[in-house]
Amino acid sequence: MTQKARVLLALALSTASLHSHAVTLNPENGHYYLLVDFTDDWRLDWNDAKSHAETLTHNGVSGHLATITNQQEDDFIWQLGGEGRFLGGFNNSTLKEAGEWVHNDWQWVTGEAFSFYNWVEGEPNHWNDGTGQTPANEDYLMYWWSDANLIGRWNDTNASSSWFDGNSIVFTTQGFIVEFSTSNTSPVPLPGAFWLFSSGLLLAGYLRRNPIS
């Protein structure tokens, strides 16, 4: 079996094990949203979540990781259960010859303008990029977890949304959000530089050996 075939098989097996909520309409913009949960046995990284979202359809409309363009949409998705989930934003960081990281403008997977944002205070901070505590750059967007002391909702994270606590790995996402909109633009290609931490089977094997507490 080729490497590509193994990755596709792993993705198929992992997405078959994910739990999805009911599709919900936002009456303000006419878009539909779907929450997808990870399980203790199956997780996807941001890239696989993006690919999975784009295979889904609702009422004949293709899905994509959710993009947020105004406060009403942000409030709606958050109240739907967005906490701790991947969104469809990314940033292509590049490494200069001197070893300095350059963080470029944030983008939406649909190519829409990244003109609205609601970062947690102090974010995006590319926390510990290039160190032993995080496996890759924080180039992907997620809803952070609620905290009365935090201002804002968005956080930058790495592709698998994980960090290392000693010899243990800690995951910070519980799933992702799919959006269905008749005004969808063409999805942009996957970022050129990404850490494919999970191809389904790889993560499943790791999680069975190292269950999340």
Side-chain angles (χ1 to χ4, degrees):
M1 184 181 294
T2 66
Q3 180 179 3
K4 181 178 180 181
R6 287 195 297 270
V7 170
L8 291 175
L9 175 60
L11 180 59
L13 290 172
S14 62
T15 54
S17 302
L18 300 173
H19 173 261
S20 297
H21 296 243
V23 176
T24 304
L25 170 68
N26 180 352
E28 293 294 322
N29 62 11
H31 299 186
Y32 289 86
Y33 300 86
L34 173 69
L35 302 183
V36 181
D37 296 337
F38 297 143
T39 70
D40 289 343
D41 290 327
W42 293 106
R43 299 185 58 87
L44 301 180
D45 71 5
W46 185 92
N47 296 283
D48 287 343
K50 176 183 183 293
S51 297
H52 179 60
E54 292 167 6
T55 67
L56 302 178
T57 60
H58 178 70
N59 292 341
V61 177
S62 296
H64 59 78
L65 285 180
T67 63
I68 300 176
T69 58
N70 57 59
Q71 189 65 60
Q72 189 279 332
E73 187 175 23
D74 192 39
D75 292 342
F76 179 86
I77 298 175
W78 178 258
Q79 293 164 9
L80 193 64
E83 183 178 40
R85 297 178 186 274
F86 282 130
L87 294 166
F90 66 95
N91 178 338
N92 283 327
S93 294
T94 54
L95 183 63
K96 299 175 68 174
E97 290 184 4
E100 177 186 358
W101 282 103
V102 176
H103 305 300
N104 301 304
D105 293 337
W106 283 84
Q107 304 176 55
W108 291 119
V109 293
T110 56
E112 297 169 273
F114 202 96
S115 55
F116 172 83
Y117 48 86
N118 190 10
W119 296 105
V120 169
E121 189 173 13
E123 303 292 345
N125 64 359
H126 288 273
W127 179 76
N128 278 338
D129 281 359
T131 73
Q133 274 198 288
T134 180
N137 286 343
E138 293 198 325
D139 282 348
Y140 304 92
L141 182 61
M142 66 172 289
Y143 268 128
W144 195 235
W145 296 89
S146 60
D147 187 312
N149 297 319
L150 294 179
I151 299 173
R153 296 168 177 162
W154 300 6
N155 176 59
D156 60 334
T157 188
N158 54 60
S160 65
S161 195
S162 65
W163 61 282
F164 294 104
D165 182 12
N167 294 323
S168 300
I169 191 167
V170 178
F171 295 102
T172 56
T173 49
Q174 65 170 334
F176 55 96
I177 306 158
V178 183
E179 180 178 359
F180 304 92
S181 167
T182 55
S183 60
N184 283 357
T185 55
S186 299
V188 299
L190 286 173
F194 63 86
W195 183 56
L196 189 59
F197 181 83
S198 63
S199 293
L201 294 178
L202 176 62
L203 266 180
Y206 183 94
L207 285 170
R208 290 193 180 98
R209 295 191 303 272
N210 303 272
I212 301 172
S213 57

